[in-house]
């Protein structure tokens, strides 16, 4: 839909379309020294090292060295906490069952998926990923009682729309899966936007993705869902009926086939909105929220393509 909208805009200007592609929205570099609101804050050390190794020549160390130091420090801390959590809760996580009928909220970013997610999450029967769990997926079971000390890693309002944001707010599971899977996610372009095309295969894992990459994503996703279910039901001995999951990440819109292989009885809610409004809102989000996580600086054209 967005491609069609942008193409229509180009057609109006004829041959000037190529030049105007970078002028549809002007993205201004900002927050380059910031360390809060970073989607890699919850990554573990070896996952972080594997990303650094793969993207060593794509990182702008001169501009983002503070961010790199911060993520490295956090990764060491996350690894230590993750090891302790695995020792205490590993068995309970492994035996945790998942409900057969999760509910997936689908739709392009900025179509209203978050608003719908917030409303449905008020039904206490649902287990869902919150901001704390998505941000620190390796240790949230152990860290829960201390999470108030981590309030400063996120703003009190979302950068793109000033909606209230707390560590308890419903949040997209793919943010947690991204760090658990060492960046095997289409959310990783929010870190490496200049390399966005390299991550498209992670939308549905059908176009060039290796079987090992698909398995990595699946294992990470199911692991997080088990932890979220365990936290909601507190079923430490694995005997209670698991709560149904309420799951919202726009990228799931492109992988319904894969999700149905995992959950044949899954339910889906698709929400849509005027594509021109969506494009402008998504561009605003990119020009506010994304700058907190970049490790290289993209061009206007690269962000618009994403």
């Amino acid at each position: 839909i967005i491609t069609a909208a942008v193409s229509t805009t180009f057609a109006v200007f004829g041959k000037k379309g190529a030049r105007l592609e970078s002028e549809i929205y002007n993205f201004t570099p900002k927050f380059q020294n910031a360390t809060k609101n970073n989607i890699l804050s919850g990554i573990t050390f070896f996952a972080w090292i594997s990303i650094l190794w793969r993207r060593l020549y794509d990182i702008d160390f001169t501009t983002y060295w503070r961010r790199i130091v911060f993520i490295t420090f956090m990764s060491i801390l996350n690894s230590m906490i993750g090891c302790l959590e695995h020792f205490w809760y590993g068995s309970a996580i492994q035996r945790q069952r998942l409900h057969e009928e999760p509910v997936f909220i689908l739709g392009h970013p900025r179509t209203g998926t978050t608003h719908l997610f917030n409303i449905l999450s008020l039904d206490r029967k649902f287990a869902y990923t919150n901001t704390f769990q998505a941000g620190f997926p390796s240790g949230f079971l152990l860290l829960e009682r201390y999470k108030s000390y981590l309030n400063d890693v996120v703003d009190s309002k979302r950068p793109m729309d000033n909606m209230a944001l707390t560590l308890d707010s419903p949040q997209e599971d793919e943010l947690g899966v991204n760090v658990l899977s060492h960046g095997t996610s289409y959310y990783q372009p929010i870190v490496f936007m200049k390399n966005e095309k390299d991550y498209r295969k992670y939308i549905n894992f059908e176009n060039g993705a290796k079987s090992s990459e698909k398995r990595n994503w699946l294992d990470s996703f199911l692991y997080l869902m088990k932890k979220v279910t365990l936290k909601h039901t507190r079923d430490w001995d694995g005997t209670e009926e698991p709560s149904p999951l309420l799951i919202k990440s726009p990228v799931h819109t492109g992988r319904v086939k894969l999700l149905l292989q995992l959950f044949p009885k899954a339910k889906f809610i698709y929400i849509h909105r005027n594509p021109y409004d969506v494009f402008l809102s998504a561009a605003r989000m990119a020009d506010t929220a994304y700058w907190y996580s970049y490790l290289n600086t993209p061009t206007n054209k690269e962000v618009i393509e994403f």
Side-chain angles (χ1 to χ4, degrees):
I1 293 174
I2 296 302
T3 301
V6 175
S7 297
T8 301
T9 304
F10 293 163
V12 173
F13 295 98
K15 295 182 180 180
K16 295 182 180 180
R19 178 176 62 83
L20 288 170
E21 184 172 359
S22 63
E23 299 176 4
I24 291 176
Y25 200 103
N26 184 42
F27 300 93
T28 307
K30 55 180 71 71
F31 311 134
Q32 292 176 320
N33 294 327
T35 55
K36 62 181 178 180
N37 299 331
N38 192 293
I39 68 170
L40 296 184
S41 295
I43 201 166
T44 55
F45 182 72
F46 290 108
W48 172 232
I49 293 300
S50 70
I51 291 174
L52 287 177
W53 178 257
R54 293 197 307 270
R55 291 298 177 190
L56 185 63
Y57 299 104
D58 300 315
I59 298 174
D60 184 352
F61 287 94
T62 302
T63 303
Y64 298 107
W65 68 269
R66 295 176 185 82
R67 191 167 293 172
I68 294 168
V69 171
F70 169 76
I71 296 173
T72 302
F73 169 78
M74 290 298 297
S75 72
I76 296 172
L77 183 62
N78 292 326
S79 293
M80 295 170 60
I81 294 170
C83 288
L84 289 173
E85 182 181 275
H86 181 74
F87 175 78
W88 286 107
Y89 300 110
S91 297
I93 296 170
Q94 186 175 12
R95 63 173 172 260
Q96 177 62 55
R97 295 175 295 120
L98 295 177
H99 197 280
E100 293 182 348
E101 299 183 13
V103 176
F104 290 89
I105 299 174
L106 308 179
H108 194 282
R110 312 307 299 153
T111 55
T113 54
T114 297
H115 185 53
L116 181 60
F117 190 23
N118 289 339
I119 292 173
L120 294 181
S121 69
L122 296 176
D123 188 337
R124 295 187 177 182
K125 75 177 180 182
F126 286 120
Y128 59 87
T129 309
N130 64 28
T131 299
F132 178 65
Q133 295 162 355
F136 299 92
S138 299
F140 66 79
L141 291 176
L142 194 64
L143 278 176
E144 181 72 23
R145 68 187 68 180
Y146 308 109
K147 66 182 179 182
S148 60
Y149 294 103
L150 295 169
N151 283 330
D152 290 339
V153 301
V154 297
D155 280 326
S156 59
K157 294 183 178 180
R158 302 202 312 176
M160 59 282 200
D161 53 20
N162 288 324
M163 283 184 61
L165 178 65
T166 70
L167 293 179
D168 293 316
S169 300
Q171 189 55 266
E172 299 177 14
D173 59 286
E174 189 76 6
L175 291 169
V177 175
N178 180 50
V179 297
L180 288 173
S181 65
H182 303 197
T184 308
S185 166
Y186 193 57
Y187 277 23
Q188 195 66 350
I190 301 176
V191 181
F192 297 106
M193 186 64 73
K194 296 183 72 68
N195 311 98
E196 176 267 331
K197 292 182 180 179
D198 296 342
Y199 296 99
R200 292 183 184 181
K201 58 186 177 182
Y202 299 145
I203 297 176
N204 57 23
F205 296 91
E206 294 180 354
N207 302 310
K210 299 178 182 178
S211 58
S212 59
E213 293 174 321
K214 180 179 180 180
R215 174 48 54 188
N216 185 20
W217 184 88
L218 287 170
D219 289 345
S220 300
F221 174 70
L222 293 174
Y223 176 74
L224 180 59
M225 293 301 98
K226 285 186 176 183
K227 290 186 66 174
V228 170
T229 301
L230 178 62
K231 181 64 178 66
H232 186 267
T233 60
R234 300 185 181 276
D235 181 22
W236 306 111
D237 58 5
T239 58
E240 296 183 19
E241 182 67 19
S243 301
L245 285 157
L246 179 64
I247 302 171
K248 194 280 287 196
S249 287
V251 71
H252 289 325
T253 308
R255 54 171 71 121
V256 172
K257 180 180 177 181
L258 176 60
L259 296 174
L260 282 172
Q261 292 173 359
L262 293 176
F263 303 103
K265 296 182 180 180
K267 300 176 182 179
F268 300 91
I269 303 171
Y270 176 72
I271 185 169
H272 62 92
R273 180 185 176 197
N274 183 290
Y276 292 97
D277 293 335
V278 169
F279 177 81
L280 291 174
S281 184
R284 172 174 168 74
M285 179 171 68
D287 201 29
T288 51
Y290 292 0
W291 289 106
Y292 286 102
S293 296
Y294 286 152
L295 289 180
N296 57 32
T297 304
T299 64
N300 288 344
K301 180 178 179 180
E302 289 164 340
V303 182
I304 288 171
E305 178 68 11
F306 174 69

